Amino acid sequence: MKKRGILLTLFACFCLCMQAQKPKLNKEEFRARQEAFIIENARLPPQEAQTFFPLYFELQDKKSQSNREAWKEIRKGKQPDTSEEEYSRIIEAVIQARITADQLDLEYLRKYKKFLSAKKIYDIQRAEMKFHRHLLKPDKKKEQKK
């Protein structure tokens, strides 16, 4: 009987924790928030933002595709019958995905430099990092209400 009570308590706590988490954003909502945050924090004028964000999101899509392919490879390594040769191929594919992401970053940096100053690109990069940290921070207002 005690075990049942403990399990019910744990389940109730789990449900409360799930409700307290921030709601998951879909891709469009995430990008809209990211765009607004970067525009504000990097002080990006409308004309520059209009030119920058289509390229920026194109880069994100390409990097995301590369990461999805790497994760497919990683999942293959979970199979109990994975050979040493397959593990070798998997780890090389993961490293290649990182190299591809870095090459894409450099390619798009060169595109950005055609219409943005190096200082503005630096400000955008800092704003992007702040945005990701901002997303990971717990909601202080909700925690204070508890």
Side-chain angles (χ1 to χ4, degrees):
M1 203 61 163
K2 265 187 170 178
K3 286 182 182 178
R4 187 174 176 192
I6 291 171
L7 287 175
L8 285 174
T9 303
L10 288 173
F11 181 74
C13 288
F14 174 76
C15 290
L16 287 173
C17 288
M18 292 305 291
Q19 287 177 345
Q21 289 181 354
K22 293 181 182 179
K24 190 170 184 176
L25 301 173
N26 67 34
K27 184 177 178 179
E28 291 77 27
E29 292 170 331
F30 177 84
R31 285 187 170 182
R33 284 188 182 185
Q34 186 178 34
E35 185 174 335
F37 190 93
I38 291 172
I39 287 170
E40 180 182 337
N41 283 271
R43 293 181 293 289
L44 202 58
Q47 186 177 2
E48 288 178 350
Q50 190 175 15
T51 308
F52 171 74
F53 281 104
L55 284 173
Y56 177 77
F57 292 132
E58 180 181 293
L59 168 62
Q60 299 310 312
D61 289 340
K62 288 180 179 181
K63 288 169 66 172
S64 180
Q65 178 60 36
S66 179
N67 285 335
R68 273 193 301 276
E69 290 168 13
W71 275 106
K72 263 194 242 180
E73 293 298 317
I74 289 170
R75 284 185 205 99
K76 290 177 185 176
K78 292 182 177 181
Q79 302 301 319
D81 60 342
T82 305
S83 70
E84 190 66 22
E85 186 178 302
E86 288 171 312
Y87 279 123
S88 180
R89 189 183 50 73
I90 290 167
I91 60 176
E92 285 187 28
V94 171
I95 291 170
Q96 187 58 52
R98 289 187 209 144
I99 292 169
T100 299
D102 289 343
Q103 288 171 336
L104 285 167
D105 281 333
L106 188 57
E107 175 188 336
Y108 278 78
L109 170 66
R110 291 178 179 138
K111 289 179 182 185
Y112 301 151
K113 281 183 172 182
K114 292 178 182 176
F115 61 92
L116 293 172
S117 69
K119 167 81 167 92
K120 188 59 71 173
I121 295 168
Y122 173 82
D123 291 343
I124 289 168
Q125 288 176 335
R126 288 201 58 215
E128 181 183 23
M129 287 186 272
K130 283 181 183 178
F131 176 75
H132 290 289
R133 280 195 307 268
H134 174 75
L135 281 182
L136 295 174
K137 282 183 187 175
D139 193 346
K140 303 245 187 227
K141 291 177 186 174
K142 284 184 181 178
E143 284 187 14
Q144 288 173 353
K145 289 181 182 179
K146 289 182 182 178

